[in-house]
Each structure stands twice: as structure tokens, then as C-alpha cells.
Amino acid sequence: MGKKSKKRSRDIVENKIENNSEFSDSVEEKFKLILRIMSWMVGICFALIIILPNFDFFLVDSIVKFVFFFGVFNLVMFGVLEMLGASVKRYISKFIS
């Protein structure tokens, strides 16, 4: 058996690095910022859902209902953005030059 060439493995690693840098750093930063904000919003919404019912005033039910649907909507949008990340980054890159 022959010895494996190190050159071939370096070429594959370099190709992977080049493929990952398809988008500029500013686009990557904006996308990560959007995802980070959405994940914090989901966490805050569900923390409020747990905390707010402990208070006793007449708007609790409507506020908790709104916060719940807002959190679920953000969670679904977060999942969609994660699945369609490349196309969303392409869309963002059209506006950021």
C-alpha cells in the first residue's frame, strides 16, 4: 500500500475554507445579530409567560396570550432563518455592499 499524500488533504481543506467565505464579514455579522436578537426575544417571551401569571390584574390574560403568540412566531421564524440561511444571507448581501 502506498503512502497517502499530504498535499491532497491540504487542497480539500483549502477548498472548504474558500467555500465557507462566500459572504462578506458584514453580512455574516448582520445575520448572526438577527439570529441572536430573535433567540433572546424567544427566551424573554417564554420567561414572561412563566412569570406574568403570578401577578393579579385584569390585563394578565391578554398580555400573556400576546406574549405567547409573539414568542411562538419568533421561534418559528428563527427555525426558518436557520434552515434557509444561505438564501437569507444572499438577500442581505444585496443591501449591504
Side-chain angles (χ1 to χ4, degrees), residues 26-45:
S26 61
V27 171
E28 293 283 342
E29 299 254 342
K30 294 287 184 185
F31 183 71
K32 287 180 183 179
L33 179 67
I34 291 169
L35 291 181
R36 191 176 308 126
I37 289 171
M38 289 181 74
S39 65
W40 271 97
M41 288 171 60
V42 168
I44 290 171
C45 285

Side-chain angles (χ1 to χ4, degrees), residues 30-65:
K30 294 287 184 185
F31 183 71
K32 287 180 183 179
L33 179 67
I34 291 169
L35 291 181
R36 191 176 308 126
I37 289 171
M38 289 181 74
S39 65
W40 271 97
M41 288 171 60
V42 168
I44 290 171
C45 285
F46 288 111
L48 286 175
I49 290 169
I50 294 169
I51 294 170
L52 281 177
N54 293 328
F55 299 105
D56 186 26
F57 60 97
F58 65 98
L59 292 175
V60 168
D61 292 335
S62 58
I63 292 173
V64 168
K65 190 176 185 179

Side-chain angles (χ1 to χ4, degrees), residues 1-17:
M1 285 205 132
K3 191 175 179 183
K4 289 188 177 182
S5 173
K6 291 183 181 179
K7 181 182 178 186
R8 183 174 179 213
S9 63
R10 283 188 211 143
D11 292 339
I12 293 171
V13 171
E14 288 174 4
N15 278 338
K16 287 181 181 179
I17 292 172

